Amino acid sequence: MILIVDSGATKSDWIALDENGEQLFLTQTLGLSPEVLTKDVIEDRLANNFELSKNREKVSHLYFYGAGCGTDRMKVFLKGIFKDFFPNAKADVKEDTYAAIFATTKVGHQGIVCILGTGSNCSYYDGNQLFQKVTSLGYIPMDDGSGNFFGRKLIRDYYFHKMPSDLAHKFAASHDLDADVIKENLYKQPNPNTYLATFARFLIENKEHPYSKGVIDKGFQQFINNYVMQFELATKVPINFVGSIAHYLRDELTSVLLRNDLIVGVIRQRPIEGLVEFHRSNM
C-alpha cells in the first residue's frame, strides 16, 4: 500500500493506493506541521484516524508533502514519528512546495509555483529542480497574502478602529473578538496560524465590500512584490497556485496578476489530485 499525503497547516489529505495505482481509501487528519506541533500532538492525530490506524502495518511507501518541512531537522523529526507509526513503510518527506509543483507543473516545463492557503510560499521550477529566493520565517513576519495574513489584518483593523463600522458590526457578530479569547488562541493554544486563518473566511464572504476589495488587492500585490518578482523570469513563465485563498479569491488574484503583466497559470484548491496523477505515472 502506498500513502500520498498533502499536509497543510490546517488539514492533511491522505490517499491510499494499491500496487496498481487504484485508490483504496481517502481520509483526512488535522494538519501535521512539525514547526508548530509537538511529537505527542502529531502522534495523537495519526492514532485518532481509523483508516490510518487500521492500515498502519500495510503501508510500504509514504510520500509526505507538508507545510513546515523545508529543513532537514523537520524532515528527520517527522520521519522518526512515521517510522514508529508505519513500521513497514519507507517514508519520503518533502516540503509542501513540491506538492504544489507536481500538482500544477509538468516535469520538463518551467513555472513559478505559489502556495496561498493558511500560509504562503513561492518557488521557481525549471522543469527538474526547485529554486527559492525567499527563506520562510513562518507566519509572524512573512506569509504575505495568506489566510493567516488576512486574518491578522482584519483583527488589527478592527481593534485599531480602521474597519468601516458596517463591516465591523458584522465582523463582531460572526466571531468572538473578546481580547482574552484572541490572546488565548494566539499565545496559549496550538496552531495560532490556523486560528488567524479562520478569520479569512469573513473576508472571502464579504469580498465585494470596498474595504475587503482593498485589503485583498493590497495583500496579493504585496505577495507578488515580495515573492514572485524575486525571480528574473517572473513575467516569462506561468504563475501557478494551490491553496484555498487562491481558489476562493481566484478572480481577485487573476486581476492582480494581469495588472503586473504576469501569466496566469493553473489555480488549484487542493494539490492532492495532481499528486496522485504524478505518482501513478511514476509507479
Side-chain angles (χ1 to χ4, degrees):
M1 179 187 297
I2 296 171
L3 275 180
I4 302 168
V5 193
D6 169 41
S7 179
T10 304
K11 64 183 185 304
S12 301
D13 292 316
W14 301 68
I15 288 184
L17 305 179
D18 65 17
E19 63 275 10
N20 297 315
E22 295 298 318
Q23 181 176 316
L24 296 172
F25 65 82
L26 169 65
T27 191
Q28 195 174 83
T29 66
L30 292 174
L32 302 177
S33 176
E35 285 187 333
V36 296
L37 299 176
T38 65
K39 181 175 184 286
D40 289 343
V41 170
I42 294 174
E43 288 176 339
D44 284 345
R45 292 185 177 183
L46 294 173
N48 288 331
N49 183 281
F50 174 74
E51 292 287 358
L52 298 181
S53 294
K54 182 178 71 171
N55 294 286
R56 57 194 296 265
E57 295 185 358
K58 299 177 183 177
V59 180
S60 60
H61 290 84
L62 170 64
Y63 298 98
F64 186 91
Y65 302 87
C69 299
T71 65
D72 289 339
R73 183 170 65 90
M74 292 294 97
K75 291 175 185 175
V76 169
F77 170 68
L78 273 183
K79 283 183 177 181
I81 295 174
F82 292 148
K83 183 178 181 180
D84 291 337
F85 192 81
F86 302 105
N88 301 313
K90 179 180 179 181
D92 183 17
V93 177
K94 287 185 169 65
E95 62 180 309
D96 53 353
T97 302
Y98 280 95
I101 288 171
F102 296 153
T104 61
T105 312
K106 293 180 180 179
V107 174
H109 290 244
Q110 294 178 310
I112 289 175
V113 182
C114 310
I115 296 172
L116 283 180
T118 298
S120 66
N121 207 336
C122 180
S123 304
Y124 170 71
Y125 182 61
D126 69 356
N128 293 291
Q129 287 183 286
L130 163 74
F131 299 91
Q132 288 184 321
K133 286 287 187 76
V134 178
T135 299
S136 177
L137 297 177
Y139 75 99
I140 295 176
M142 292 189 168
D143 276 1
D144 296 355
S146 68
N148 75 69
F149 171 90
F150 286 128
R152 183 168 61 248
K153 171 67 174 171
L154 291 178
I155 293 173
R156 285 173 56 85
D157 282 4
Y158 177 82
Y159 267 89
F160 282 127
H161 309 292
K162 291 184 177 181
M163 186 180 289
S165 59
D166 60 327
L167 205 60
H169 289 309
K170 237 174 138 176
F171 190 47
S174 60
H175 294 85
D176 190 342
L177 297 177
D178 180 80
D180 288 335
V181 172
I182 292 174
K183 288 188 283 187
E184 170 74 20
N185 280 280
L186 290 181
Y187 304 116
K188 295 184 179 180
Q189 295 300 318
N191 295 82
N193 55 333
T194 302
Y195 169 72
L196 284 171
T198 62
F199 292 95
R201 177 178 292 182
F202 180 83
L203 189 69
I204 294 168
E205 292 172 348
N206 295 276
K207 66 179 186 176
E208 297 304 322
H209 192 285
Y211 163 85
S212 300
K213 288 183 177 180
V215 169
I216 293 166
D217 188 85
K218 289 178 182 178
F220 284 158
Q221 186 62 58
Q222 185 171 320
F223 176 81
I224 289 172
N225 291 346
N226 290 336
Y227 288 81
V228 177
M229 290 304 187
Q230 294 272 354
F231 298 104
E232 295 178 2
L233 295 176
T235 60
K236 307 296 183 183
V237 299
I239 317 296
N240 302 316
F241 291 85
V242 298
S244 293
I245 294 297
H247 172 74
Y248 288 112
L249 295 175
R250 175 190 297 262
D251 293 342
E252 292 75 13
L253 177 60
T254 297
S255 177
V256 177
L257 290 169
L258 294 176
R259 187 175 70 215
N260 285 271
D261 296 321
L262 298 172
I263 301 169
V264 181
V266 176
I267 299 177
R268 263 184 155 154
Q269 181 180 3
R270 299 161 64 233
I272 191 68
E273 295 89 353
L275 277 179
V276 171
E277 294 169 10
F278 172 80
H279 282 284
R280 277 177 176 154
S281 66
N282 287 280
M283 289 181 73

